[in-house]
Amino acid sequence: MNNIQSYIKEHKTRFINELIELLKIPSVSADSAYKNDVLKTAEAVKTSLENAGCNHVEICPTQGHPIVYGEKVIDKNLPTILVYGHYDVQPPDPINLWDSPPFEPVIKKTDLHPEGAIFARGACDDKGQMYMHVKAMEFMTTTNQLPCNVKFMIEGEEEIGSVNLATYVKANHDKLKNDVILISDTGMIANDVPSITTGLRGLSYVEVEVTGPNRDLHSGLYGGAVANPINILAKMIASLHDENNHITIPGFYDKVEELSKEERAEMAKAPFNLDAYKKALNIEAVYGETGYSTNERNSIRPTLDVNGIWGGYTGEGAKTVIASKAYAKISMRLVPNQDWEEITQLFKTHFENIAPKGVTVNVKPHHGGQGYVTPIDSIGYQAASKAYQDTFGKTPIPQRSGGSIPIVSLFEQELKSKTILMGFGLDSDAIHSPNEHFGIFNYLKGIETIPLFYKYFTELSK
Amino acid sequence: MNNIQSYIKEHKTRFINELIELLKIPSVSADSAYKNDVLKTAEAVKTSLENAGCNHVEICPTQGHPIVYGEKVIDKNLPTILVYGHYDVQPPDPINLWDSPPFEPVIKKTDLHPEGAIFARGACDDKGQMYMHVKAMEFMTTTNQLPCNVKFMIEGEEEIGSVNLATYVKANHDKLKNDVILISDTGMIANDVPSITTGLRGLSYVEVEVTGPNRDLHSGLYGGAVANPINILAKMIASLHDENNHITIPGFYDKVEELSKEERAEMAKAPFNLDAYKKALNIEAVYGETGYSTNERNSIRPTLDVNGIWGGYTGEGAKTVIASKAYAKISMRLVPNQDWEEITQLFKTHFENIAPKGVTVNVKPHHGGQGYVTPIDSIGYQAASKAYQDTFGKTPIPQRSGGSIPIVSLFEQELKSKTILMGFGLDSDAIHSPNEHFGIFNYLKGIETIPLFYKYFTELSK
């Protein structure tokens, strides 16, 4: 592509300011209190797509938050790229741990981001990475260099399991027809170690409720004589892992993809410094499944984590009470071949089975999605690899990610096309955490790399 | 005593209305937001003692909430009764489970209270039971039948461990000098089965904090690779009981008083219906330490209960996060001979020892108190027994309670006098729970019985 670098240089400040404006809107999809802000964000995305040269831009209503669609079809005979992203964000809490308000973006330098990074909820996940595609589109249309057809599908429910996306996709096969799907919602190893995500973990997210006595009880009068739902919940959660941190749910591992020695050896080549990892998290030791390395534990192995727990008196001071109910939110990360609905059912059955007499258990499935692995010999992967080589001067490393983008396998199933995960964030960008940020370097590098993917994908498709 | 029944009959409505006014003030000692209401309650108690004929009534400041003191000394040669009670109440949450607002008292009939009961936080624990003594005092002074000296010490921090009472008692030995201490802050078996509490459990209340990574993490990118503080906390809590529900803290049982076969047989005579017990709590089965009955588990055996737990995302919807910290409030009920400070230290040491590498643990002791057993051959117990015989027409059953009133052992140690626990509440009155209530029958029966205790204690002391 011609003069992409000069174009970015010229419009850099505007690119950053536009993203900052988008980040100011608190589009928290998990909390209905933010419903209007989510809608406001959808409208802002619609406008940005129109300004970038898209046609037929529309806000498509769903049972939940809407999907923003836009396209530019220049020639039916040319390949079509479908860009997916999401404009919703994770809840910002715990708010008090943010150094600056989550929806008042600020730019600060960090060790890993000497050129500065934008600090705000959604800066990296996914408003920042989604907006790179909008600006790349602007460049290609403004300079008449768009080499193929493009479709944008930007949703507002990714952080709550894309609950209504499947319905939309199933109802719009023709409209969404494409040759490859492009997503920037993952990370890369380092700013000088570009990587492309070739695998994702699946997810099963459930909420459990343990009920004991029909009312809160005085822990003196009843303590020791009735099942305490909190103690029982703790006991049940503890029993979900054995002494080797294997998950104890019967059948849980039956379909887990076992990697070959060679594959594991290949993975082990990815640069990783355990001391730096521990230091960054300020932990004395890592912790996980016996027999696997840290990189394997968070990518090729399934996991079970409690994401939230609550029950009884949690206020100031002391209350001597036995709570009637205790709750937990539990998520399982799944690997290829594990079916999330099957795993959810296995969990439900097991959790209900291990409940002792004296309590009742209610397991409520939240959402989930399948794991995914993409081949590195596809035209899409090759095009992405060449694009990174041009902009980073290095061949990107194929990498399995521990994260989940459930809709990737949905896309393959419904739209019969592969997804390329060109992520430009860093693990240290603190997505889902306080002080989430996205490097200016990464943001601009993304805008520079994406058009080259379009170019090479079109060429290799001939 | 003459015409006590007619006096109560005459003033019944006023007695109830005065208590209702007192219950309207939300004196929640655990929550600093209610500081002014706690003070307002102290002032109301002061006024009520003055109106009941007490002299030298004063509000004594402490480091925390004040103590209300009042007395009527008619003759140095007569015995002196020290009445203890508390005007603070438990936090009302969970508010949504109350059928009527906790600080807007209403009178409703129940199966166990056909004459009606007052529903409000503190109705039974302890405003209602404390106020019985104020009205009994009013009767004795108004009708010139006060047979001995009386001192009132009504505190405002019982629900948070009487943190400043010890200092006050130690500083006022002469002022508080007495021959017996009278407290109504316990229950009786049933309205037709009067009982007197002869034993109380001690208490050790701690708060634990488990810290893993220095920030909340994305459960996809880090799940399975780092210690999750919530999973670890659950595992640590679960390990505090073995498969027989014995507590696993080393040394925990070393000083536990073991009752003889005979004593246990005597206890077993107290009327108890397990089916009714389970039905009242809507539980399929009771749950507790192997080898002990329900009545033993909640009275003569020590226990460990989690009173509150929290960590991670507890809001609406789903958040795939690994929390940096998880917390729990844990209380242990202790039996005679267990020293609460020693047990607290044993817990702290053990809990820190079982923390795996990858997390750090902080144990913060909240408060505690010793267990207590009172002899039934004392003048005080005999006087109480005779008083119940007059008003209930039955000899009361001596009963061990599972609850704790830490200050009882403090009183014995500092003031060298025994405490008589004349409680008129029922276990089903839901103290510390939503819809706490106190029967009108019980309230008036208390007012009727208390003056008789004064009479018999004075006579037996001659």
Side-chain angles (χ1 to χ4, degrees):
Chain A
M1 297 266 170
N2 303 328
N3 58 42
I4 170 89
Q5 279 150 336
S6 59
Y7 187 90
I8 291 171
K9 197 167 174 191
E10 186 185 341
H11 300 281
K12 173 181 173 178
T13 312
R14 176 173 59 84
F15 287 176
I16 293 169
N17 292 337
E18 286 178 11
L19 174 55
I20 284 175
E21 287 311 306
L22 194 62
L23 291 168
K24 286 180 181 173
I25 320 172
S27 51
V28 180
S29 50
D31 187 342
S32 50
Y34 293 93
K35 196 173 187 308
N36 290 335
D37 295 302
V38 175
L39 189 57
K40 215 171 130 202
T41 312
E43 280 152 2
V45 171
K46 175 174 184 285
T47 308
S48 71
L49 285 174
E50 287 164 343
N51 297 342
C54 282
N55 306 324
H56 311 303
V57 186
E58 54 183 342
I59 293 182
C60 313
T62 73
Q63 291 291 318
H65 303 302
I67 293 160
V68 184
Y69 177 85
E71 64 177 36
K72 187 156 184 88
V73 177
I74 54 174
D75 181 345
K76 289 252 176 294
N77 302 317
L78 288 169
T80 299
I81 296 171
L82 174 63
V83 176
Y84 165 86
H86 64 94
Y87 63 84
D88 64 320
V89 301
Q90 279 278 316
D93 51 288
I95 297 266
N96 58 314
L97 295 185
W98 284 76
D99 298 332
S100 58
F103 298 108
E104 296 173 24
V106 292
I107 296 176
K108 285 183 289 186
K109 287 185 165 55
T110 74
D111 295 351
L112 291 174
H113 297 298
E115 299 174 34
I118 304 173
F119 283 75
R121 168 58 83 229
C124 179
D125 178 18
D126 183 50
K127 283 175 175 171
Q129 296 216 70
M130 174 272 288
Y131 206 67
M132 296 184 308
H133 290 270
V134 179
K135 294 296 98 180
M137 177 72 175
E138 172 196 311
F139 161 74
M140 290 185 285
T141 53
T142 311
T143 60
N144 298 311
Q145 295 186 79
L146 182 66
C148 59
N149 307 312
V150 196
K151 296 172 177 177
F152 283 85
M153 174 170 60
I154 314 299
E155 75 155 317
E157 299 188 315
E158 198 274 342
E159 301 294 2
I160 52 172
S162 303
V163 276
N164 294 292
L165 188 66
T167 314
Y168 179 80
V169 170
K170 286 173 182 165
N172 294 282
H173 281 180
D174 291 348
K175 181 180 186 176
L176 299 174
K177 193 170 183 311
N178 67 80
D179 299 284
V180 71
I181 296 163
L182 186 58
I183 303 179
S184 296
D185 196 17
T186 50
M188 58 183 191
I189 294 170
N191 284 359
D192 57 355
V193 186
S195 59
I196 296 173
T197 301
T198 56
L200 293 165
R201 290 199 283 190
L203 178 73
S204 168
Y205 199 111
V206 300
E207 188 162 321
V208 301
E209 175 191 74
V210 175
T211 304
N214 53 2
R215 57 183 170 91
D216 287 4
L217 300 175
H218 185 293
S219 68
L221 302 182
Y222 292 89
V226 299
N228 177 328
I230 301 177
N231 288 73
I232 298 297
L233 175 59
K235 197 174 167 181
M236 292 171 74
I237 289 170
S239 78
L240 297 175
H241 290 89
D242 68 14
E243 66 283 4
N244 294 316
N245 281 309
H246 291 296
I247 293 156
T248 57
I249 300 166
F252 185 84
Y253 290 99
D254 288 359
K255 297 184 179 171
V256 166
E257 169 205 50
E258 291 292 344
L259 270 67
S260 67
K261 275 205 180 58
E262 295 66 30
E263 289 172 295
R264 291 178 67 180
E266 191 54 38
M267 273 189 69
K269 288 181 187 163
F272 178 74
N273 181 324
L274 185 58
D275 291 332
Y277 185 86
K278 288 190 288 186
K279 190 158 177 293
L281 300 174
N282 190 28
I283 52 176
E284 190 191 346
V286 291
Y287 186 93
E289 189 179 10
T290 305
Y292 295 91
S293 71
T294 293
N295 274 341
E296 291 173 331
R297 287 167 173 172
N298 65 20
S299 63
I300 63 168
R301 298 298 295 172
T303 63
L304 184 151
D305 275 296
V306 181
N307 302 110
I309 191 166
W310 67 104
Y313 183 65
T314 60
E316 189 186 341
K319 185 167 191 260
T320 51
V321 67
I322 292 176
S324 172
K325 291 174 180 288
Y327 307 83
K329 294 176 193 271
I330 299 175
S331 67
M332 290 159 281
R333 295 287 168 168
L334 310 176
V335 295
N337 304 340
Q338 283 183 299
D339 176 77
W340 79 269
E341 281 166 319
E342 182 185 350
I343 292 293
T344 302
Q345 189 51 53
L346 287 176
F347 176 93
K348 189 179 189 328
T349 306
H350 178 64
F351 206 73
E352 287 164 353
N353 287 344
I354 61 177
K357 276 189 175 183
V359 301
T360 55
V361 166
N362 179 21
V363 177
K364 183 178 117 206
H366 258 302
H367 65 273
Q370 310 297 17
Y372 182 75
V373 187
T374 187
I376 65 172
D377 56 4
S378 68
I379 289 175
Y381 188 88
Q382 292 306 320
S385 183
K386 287 168 71 72
Y388 279 83
Q389 286 169 51
D390 287 3
T391 52
F392 285 85
K394 292 181 181 178
T395 305
I397 298 172
Q399 187 196 31
R400 290 281 195 105
S401 164
S404 305
I405 310 180
I407 40 74
V408 169
S409 51
L410 167 77
F411 291 159
E412 177 154 28
Q413 191 184 331
E414 293 297 321
L415 305 176
K416 314 295 178 213
S417 51
K418 287 286 178 190
T419 294
I420 302 302
L421 299 163
M422 289 173 61
F424 293 90
L426 302 183
D427 277 5
S428 54
D429 287 346
I431 66 172
H432 291 210
S433 303
N435 304 314
E436 174 180 355
H437 55 282
F438 190 38
I440 302 289
F441 167 88
N442 306 71
Y443 179 51
L444 301 178
K445 210 65 170 172
I447 299 171
E448 180 186 349
T449 309
I450 290 161
L452 291 163
F453 172 82
Y454 283 59
K455 169 170 174 271
Y456 291 122
F457 185 76
T458 308
E459 288 174 4
L460 292 170
S461 301
K462 278 173 185 153
Chain B
M1 297 262 169
N2 303 325
N3 58 40
I4 170 94
Q5 278 152 338
S6 58
Y7 188 89
I8 291 172
K9 197 169 175 192
E10 187 185 337
H11 300 283
K12 173 181 173 178
T13 313
R14 176 172 59 85
F15 287 177
I16 293 168
N17 292 337
E18 286 178 12
L19 175 55
I20 283 174
E21 287 311 305
L22 194 62
L23 291 169
K24 285 180 181 173
I25 319 173
S27 51
V28 180
S29 51
D31 187 341
S32 49
Y34 294 91
K35 197 173 186 310
N36 290 335
D37 295 300
V38 175
L39 189 58
K40 214 172 130 202
T41 312
E43 281 151 2
V45 172
K46 176 175 183 285
T47 307
S48 70
L49 286 173
E50 287 164 344
N51 297 342
C54 283
N55 307 322
H56 312 302
V57 186
E58 53 183 339
I59 292 181
C60 313
T62 71
Q63 292 291 318
H65 303 303
I67 292 160
V68 184
Y69 176 85
E71 64 179 34
K72 183 145 184 105
V73 178
I74 55 176
D75 180 344
K76 288 255 176 295
N77 302 316
L78 287 169
T80 299
I81 296 170
L82 174 64
V83 175
Y84 165 87
H86 64 94
Y87 63 84
D88 63 319
V89 300
Q90 279 279 318
D93 48 287
I95 298 265
N96 58 316
L97 295 185
W98 284 75
D99 298 332
S100 57
F103 299 108
E104 296 172 24
V106 291
I107 296 176
K108 285 183 289 186
K109 288 185 165 55
T110 73
D111 296 348
L112 291 173
H113 296 298
E115 299 175 35
I118 304 174
F119 284 74
R121 168 58 82 230
C124 179
D125 177 18
D126 181 48
K127 282 175 176 169
Q129 297 216 73
M130 175 270 292
Y131 207 68
M132 296 183 309
H133 291 269
V134 180
K135 294 298 98 181
M137 177 72 177
E138 171 195 313
F139 162 75
M140 291 184 285
T141 53
T142 310
T143 60
N144 298 310
Q145 296 186 80
L146 183 64
C148 57
N149 307 312
V150 197
K151 296 173 177 177
F152 283 86
M153 175 172 58
I154 314 299
E155 74 156 317
E157 300 188 315
E158 197 273 343
E159 301 294 3
I160 52 173
S162 304
V163 275
N164 294 293
L165 188 66
T167 314
Y168 178 81
V169 171
K170 287 173 182 167
N172 294 283
H173 281 180
D174 292 347
K175 180 182 188 174
L176 300 173
K177 194 171 182 312
N178 66 80
D179 300 286
V180 70
I181 296 163
L182 186 57
I183 302 179
S184 296
D185 196 17
T186 51
M188 58 182 191
I189 294 169
N191 284 357
D192 57 354
V193 186
S195 58
I196 296 173
T197 301
T198 56
L200 292 165
R201 290 199 282 191
L203 178 72
S204 167
Y205 200 112
V206 301
E207 187 163 319
V208 301
E209 175 191 75
V210 175
T211 305
N214 53 1
R215 59 183 169 90
D216 287 4
L217 300 175
H218 184 294
S219 69
L221 302 181
Y222 292 88
V226 299
N228 177 328
I230 302 177
N231 288 74
I232 298 297
L233 175 59
K235 197 173 168 182
M236 292 171 74
I237 289 170
S239 77
L240 296 174
H241 290 90
D242 68 14
E243 65 283 6
N244 294 315
N245 281 309
H246 291 296
I247 293 156
T248 57
I249 299 166
F252 185 82
Y253 290 99
D254 287 359
K255 297 182 178 173
V256 167
E257 170 205 48
E258 290 292 344
L259 271 68
S260 66
K261 275 206 176 57
E262 296 65 30
E263 289 172 294
R264 291 178 66 180
E266 191 54 40
M267 274 190 67
K269 288 180 185 163
F272 178 74
N273 181 324
L274 185 58
D275 290 333
Y277 185 86
K278 289 189 288 186
K279 190 158 176 294
L281 301 175
N282 190 28
I283 52 177
E284 191 191 345
V286 291
Y287 186 92
E289 188 179 9
T290 304
Y292 295 91
S293 72
T294 293
N295 275 341
E296 291 174 330
R297 286 167 173 172
N298 65 21
S299 63
I300 62 168
R301 297 298 295 173
T303 63
L304 185 151
D305 275 296
V306 181
N307 302 110
I309 191 166
W310 67 103
Y313 183 67
T314 60
E316 189 185 341
K319 185 168 192 265
T320 50
V321 67
I322 292 176
S324 172
K325 290 174 181 290
Y327 306 83
K329 293 176 193 274
I330 298 174
S331 67
M332 289 160 282
R333 295 285 168 171
L334 311 176
V335 294
N337 304 340
Q338 283 184 298
D339 176 76
W340 78 269
E341 280 166 321
E342 181 185 351
I343 292 294
T344 302
Q345 190 51 52
L346 287 176
F347 177 93
K348 189 179 190 320
T349 306
H350 178 65
F351 207 73
E352 288 165 351
N353 286 344
I354 60 177
K357 277 190 175 182
V359 301
T360 56
V361 166
N362 179 21
V363 176
K364 182 178 119 207
H366 258 301
H367 64 274
Q370 311 296 18
Y372 183 75
V373 187
T374 188
I376 65 173
D377 56 4
S378 67
I379 290 175
Y381 187 89
Q382 292 305 323
S385 184
K386 286 168 71 70
Y388 280 84
Q389 286 169 50
D390 287 3
T391 52
F392 285 86
K394 290 181 180 178
T395 306
I397 297 172
Q399 187 197 29
R400 291 279 195 105
S401 164
S404 306
I405 310 181
I407 42 77
V408 169
S409 51
L410 167 76
F411 292 159
E412 178 155 30
Q413 191 184 331
E414 293 297 323
L415 305 175
K416 313 295 178 215
S417 53
K418 288 284 177 191
T419 293
I420 302 303
L421 298 162
M422 289 173 61
F424 293 89
L426 301 182
D427 276 5
S428 53
D429 287 345
I431 66 171
H432 291 210
S433 302
N435 303 314
E436 173 180 355
H437 56 283
F438 189 38
I440 301 289
F441 167 87
N442 307 69
Y443 178 52
L444 300 177
K445 211 63 171 172
I447 299 171
E448 181 186 349
T449 308
I450 290 162
L452 291 162
F453 172 81
Y454 283 60
K455 171 172 176 277
Y456 291 122
F457 185 75
T458 309
E459 288 176 6
L460 294 170
S461 300
K462 282 177 183 149

